[in-house]
Amino acid sequence: MKKFVCISCGRKWYVDEIDEKAVMSCPYCAKKIIEERLLVIDSFDKALLKVIHWQGKEILKNKTRLLAYLFDLAPDYKKEIRIFSKACSPELLQLFYGTGVNDSFQHKEIINKARILLLEEEGLSLAWADSVINALIYALEWEDRTVFIGEQKDKKEDTSALSKEIAVLAVGDNGYGQCDIEEWDNIVSVSSRYWHTIGLKKDKTVVAVGDNQYGQCNVKEWENIVAVSCGSEHTVGLQKNGRVLAVGCNKNGQCNVKSWHDIVAISCGTRYTVGLRGDGKVLATGENESGQCNVEEWRDMIAISCGDSHTAGLQRDGKVLAVGNNKYGQCDVHGWHWRDIVSVCCGNARTVALKKNGKVIAVGDNKYGQCNVKSWRGIIAISCGFWHTAGLQKDGKAVAVGHNIYGQCEISAWEKLLSISCGGSHTIGLQSL
């Protein structure tokens, strides 16, 4: 027999065998946890969500107590709990608490920063890194809260403060007004392609500028949007409930997404649309002349990207798949150097990938030097335009290569960037003020 003290209530009791559950909390607290839980705990993500909902976000700062509750709620997920304990560093939490959690979800760059931190400094595999990130996002989205490090703040005050601290920048071709973003405010994410630009606002509504010949900018009525993507003549929006909206040209069926559900990511090609489901499977609709929509056999995917007529997907193990037009070798994403990938992006006829060490690789059409990214270091996010490529660095600055006739690569003076998006011949950036 050995005496233990409950870290939750301070009671002392004796046990015959030592295990995590017995050591962490007393039978009274364990019973209370089981009785008061509001949902069935069938995953580590749900256990974390329940503990944060029950104890509040401050529980994340008390790792010992957090583990006690998690072990009691989810004894079948001891491995996941230990991995999470190792990964849950102040640096990781700062990434998610520095802005609202929904904004973190929308900012691919913040997710990539978290991945790199977990991969490089904590030594986790890509699969475990994404599991930790997904668990945090899922748990902290309870009741659509915005969570911040430090003292509890009023939600309205937080939202206002965030919106005032982000500016939208633009350079390049403005023939259709695709760079007319001066009046935009409350923007948390942008998507640009060809001749129009879409902005996602803090309140989950959407704004658009640029070419609207086919109604691709008619997004004023959209609500509850968490992600957007632009095709050449259509626009797609992902709603918080996993459904998808689309406007614009539908000649090739690229807007036939009404039946889609459980979608967690979207990407538009020139005349087609691809959606990633929560179970790692992929859907596609639209033009398939080059086989760019042949993704029905893909499994265990965590990210997708569309080019003009080819599609690339990132698997949980850090490998890349590609289908479609391979005239310039843009689908040649195999081999040892195409491993440990954390992000993938497709340009017109090229594929660019970000590795966990902050380096970038590229294959495909390089007529204008758009694949000359070998020397890049410290990159946390990438974006591809028609013939130019941009990268966001750890220090908040940006680099770009490729076609620059409209000045779309002149972004070296930009600082404090949160994200970057390349259109056809223009570049958009979100800057922290």
Side-chain angles (χ1 to χ4, degrees):
M1 299 290 286
K2 190 171 182 179
K3 181 173 71 174
F4 290 93
V5 178
C6 177
I7 63 170
S8 299
C9 67
R11 288 188 180 93
K12 297 178 182 179
W13 82 105
Y14 293 87
V15 295
D16 292 320
E17 297 180 0
I18 300 175
D19 60 33
E20 291 91 341
K21 184 174 180 179
V23 171
M24 287 296 177
S25 60
C26 70
Y28 300 98
C29 291
K31 184 174 184 294
K32 182 179 179 182
I33 291 173
I34 298 301
E35 288 177 347
E36 293 190 1
R37 63 184 180 181
L38 300 178
L39 51 92
V40 175
I41 303 301
D42 57 4
S43 71
F44 169 70
D45 295 16
K46 288 185 179 179
L48 182 60
L49 179 150
K50 171 55 189 165
V51 173
I52 293 176
H53 174 59
W54 183 36
Q55 289 290 319
K57 66 181 178 61
E58 295 300 318
I59 191 64
L60 287 173
K61 296 182 180 180
N62 189 331
K63 187 176 292 187
T64 304
R65 180 171 290 186
L66 173 63
L67 292 179
Y69 292 137
L70 287 174
F71 276 122
D72 280 329
L73 274 176
D76 294 333
Y77 296 92
K78 292 177 181 178
K79 184 175 182 180
E80 286 83 354
I81 294 169
R82 292 192 184 99
I83 292 291
F84 180 76
S85 174
K86 177 182 178 182
C88 200
S89 64
E91 293 79 11
L92 178 71
L93 295 179
Q94 182 66 50
L95 287 174
F96 287 89
Y97 290 173
T99 62
V101 172
N102 288 331
D103 301 321
S104 299
F105 176 75
Q106 294 155 5
H107 288 159
K108 293 180 182 178
E109 292 70 24
I110 294 177
I111 301 301
N112 285 331
K113 285 181 182 179
R115 278 183 182 149
I116 292 170
L117 179 66
L118 293 174
L119 291 168
E120 291 186 349
E121 299 189 17
E122 301 299 337
L124 300 186
S125 67
L126 180 61
W128 276 116
D130 282 336
S131 293
V132 169
I133 292 169
N134 289 336
L136 276 169
I137 292 174
Y138 178 79
L140 294 172
E141 277 188 324
W142 182 272
E143 293 181 351
D144 198 21
R145 294 179 305 178
T146 301
V147 187
F148 291 80
I149 274 182
E151 299 179 358
Q152 183 74 29
K153 298 180 180 180
D154 178 77
K155 183 181 286 190
K156 292 183 179 179
E157 177 185 343
D158 292 336
T159 302
S160 177
L162 179 66
S163 65
K164 291 179 181 178
E165 293 178 355
I166 296 180
V168 187
L169 309 176
V171 293
D173 180 22
N174 196 33
Y176 290 89
Q178 60 265 48
C179 290
D180 293 340
I181 42 76
E182 296 85 359
E183 302 301 320
W184 283 9
D185 59 9
N186 301 313
I187 301 297
V188 296
S189 179
V190 291
S191 177
S192 41
R193 194 177 184 91
Y194 287 82
W195 303 287
H196 72 294
T197 302
I198 304 296
L200 177 60
K201 304 187 71 171
K202 174 66 180 178
D203 62 3
K204 300 183 182 65
T205 60
V206 183
V207 291
V209 292
D211 182 25
N212 195 34
Q213 181 180 356
Y214 295 94
Q216 59 264 49
C217 290
N218 296 342
V219 295
K220 191 175 181 180
E221 303 300 320
W222 285 6
E223 296 179 340
N224 295 317
I225 304 297
V226 296
V228 289
S229 183
C230 299
S232 62
E233 298 164 344
H234 75 294
T235 302
V236 174
L238 173 62
Q239 292 186 302
K240 188 176 179 180
N241 61 4
R243 311 292 297 200
V244 182
L245 304 178
V247 292
C249 181
N250 196 33
K251 182 178 180 180
N252 298 95
Q254 58 264 53
C255 292
N256 295 341
V257 295
K258 189 175 182 179
S259 64
W260 288 7
H261 59 87
D262 192 31
I263 303 298
V264 297
I266 50 174
S267 182
C268 293
T270 299
R271 299 178 186 87
Y272 70 105
T273 304
V274 176
L276 173 63
R277 291 189 1 176
D279 59 5
K281 296 180 181 180
V282 184
L283 304 176
T285 183
E287 184 181 76
N288 195 33
E289 184 176 343
S290 301
Q292 61 265 46
C293 290
N294 296 341
V295 295
E296 61 276 359
E297 299 299 323
W298 286 6
R299 297 292 184 272
D300 204 28
M301 309 305 293
I302 61 173
I304 49 174
S305 182
C306 299
D308 177 51
S309 55
H310 78 292
T311 305
L314 176 62
Q315 292 184 301
R316 188 169 293 277
D317 61 4
K319 296 180 181 179
V320 180
L321 302 179
V323 293
N325 190 338
N326 197 33
K327 179 180 179 180
Y328 296 94
Q330 59 263 50
C331 292
D332 296 338
V333 293
H334 313 290
W336 63 269
H337 55 294
W338 280 86
R339 296 179 180 178
D340 297 324
I341 305 300
V342 297
S343 181
V344 65
C345 183
C346 293
N348 179 44
R350 70 189 182 284
T351 303
V352 181
L354 172 63
K355 305 193 73 172
K356 73 176 185 179
N357 60 7
K359 296 181 180 180
V360 182
I361 55 177
V363 292
D365 182 21
N366 197 32
K367 181 179 180 180
Y368 297 99
Q370 58 266 46
C371 290
N372 295 342
V373 295
K374 190 176 181 179
S375 64
W376 288 5
R377 297 292 185 273
I379 303 298
I380 61 172
I382 51 176
S383 184
C384 295
F386 203 75
W387 288 314
H388 74 294
T389 305
L392 176 61
Q393 299 176 153
K394 283 184 178 180
D395 60 5
K397 296 183 179 181
V399 290
V401 293
H403 197 243
N404 194 36
I405 190 172
Y406 296 102
Q408 60 264 47
C409 291
E410 295 173 6
I411 58 176
S412 59
W414 289 1
E415 297 180 338
K416 298 181 180 180
L417 292 176
L418 297 171
S419 68
I420 197 164
S421 178
C422 294
S425 298
H426 68 292
T427 306
I428 306 293
L430 288 185
Q431 181 185 54
S432 176
L433 299 178

